Amino acid sequence: MHPAVHSATLADLLAVADEKPYYELLDGELSQKAAPLFGHADTQFSIGEQIRRHFRGPPRGDAPGGWWIGGEVHVELAPRQIVVPDLVGWRIDRVPEPPTGFPVKIRPDWICEVISPSNPSRDTIRKLQIYHRAEIPHYWLADPQRQSLTVFRWQPEGYLVALAAEPPAQVCPEPFDAVEYSVAALLGTLE
């Protein structure tokens, strides 16, 4: 099946929703996400594992908690704008119950994309602009090839680079700055 490419709607997305890799609706264009290579998947898993360990769910013991964290969740940011971020999170103080539905219609507080070598401008330009228009407070770009992590903070005039780091740096990346992380561990680099 070849989906409609331009002027697509939620109905068009639903028609291909079960296909792998996933489709997104970007500015009304049905856009297929690239099938992740091992390095991409490893970085996605590493970041998710590190962040979830400390922040998933309500605060507990010595973990700050306070977030719902997921991966590959379809999120509707606006009509004709449905994204599937590699990782996504919502603050529990703003969203007391885990987000549900397809697509999720609650704006996330944090999104992380792992840059794909097959189409880096998708995450570094196109989705950065989409996320800024949707007022996503925190946007991370992880680049497994360049071994870098860039953390953006939303500002009305554009995203501000709050942090740019690479191994062997230790960082406290917002909004998860209550914990210090090894950039290598976040990126899944064996130290």
Side-chain angles (χ1 to χ4, degrees):
M1 170 182 203
H2 295 287
V5 177
H6 297 288
S7 300
T9 65
L10 176 57
D12 296 311
L13 181 65
L14 290 172
V16 295
D18 292 331
E19 293 186 25
K20 302 280 192 248
Y22 296 120
Y23 281 86
E24 299 177 289
L25 189 58
L26 306 178
D27 297 319
E29 178 184 336
L30 208 50
S31 178
Q32 187 176 32
K33 286 187 74 165
L37 300 175
F38 179 81
H40 181 284
D42 191 48
T43 298
Q44 180 178 347
F45 183 80
S46 294
I47 292 171
E49 179 183 50
Q50 296 286 322
I51 300 302
R52 286 171 60 95
R53 178 182 307 141
H54 300 287
F55 291 94
R56 181 175 178 260
R60 63 207 177 282
D62 62 348
W67 287 80
W68 304 119
I69 305 288
E72 304 291 339
V73 176
H74 284 78
V75 180
E76 184 173 3
L77 300 175
R80 299 169 22 106
Q81 209 72 276
I82 300 171
V83 296
V84 185
D86 291 320
L87 294 161
V88 60
W90 293 264
R91 289 183 182 275
I92 289 176
D93 61 356
R94 191 175 69 82
V95 182
E97 298 295 323
T100 60
F102 183 93
V104 171
K105 296 182 183 279
I106 303 168
R107 178 195 49 83
D109 295 295
W110 169 74
I111 287 177
C112 176
E113 295 285 8
V114 179
I115 297 173
S116 172
S118 65
N119 191 357
S121 66
R122 176 191 189 94
D123 297 321
T124 61
I125 298 171
R126 189 169 188 189
K127 288 179 98 175
L128 181 134
Q129 293 169 349
I130 289 168
Y131 294 156
H132 184 263
R133 284 194 309 264
E135 299 184 13
I136 305 299
H138 302 279
Y139 180 40
W140 290 15
L141 279 172
D143 190 334
Q145 282 196 313
R146 292 192 171 154
Q147 285 294 288
S148 65
L149 174 67
T150 306
V151 174
F152 297 95
R153 179 186 321 129
W154 190 89
Q155 302 285 311
E157 58 279 352
Y159 274 117
L160 170 73
V161 175
L163 172 76
E166 57 190 18
Q170 295 286 123
V171 297
C172 297
E174 57 184 57
F176 307 109
D177 48 348
V179 174
E180 183 177 73
Y181 295 98
S182 155
V183 174
L186 287 170
L187 296 174
T189 305
L190 298 176
E191 298 180 283

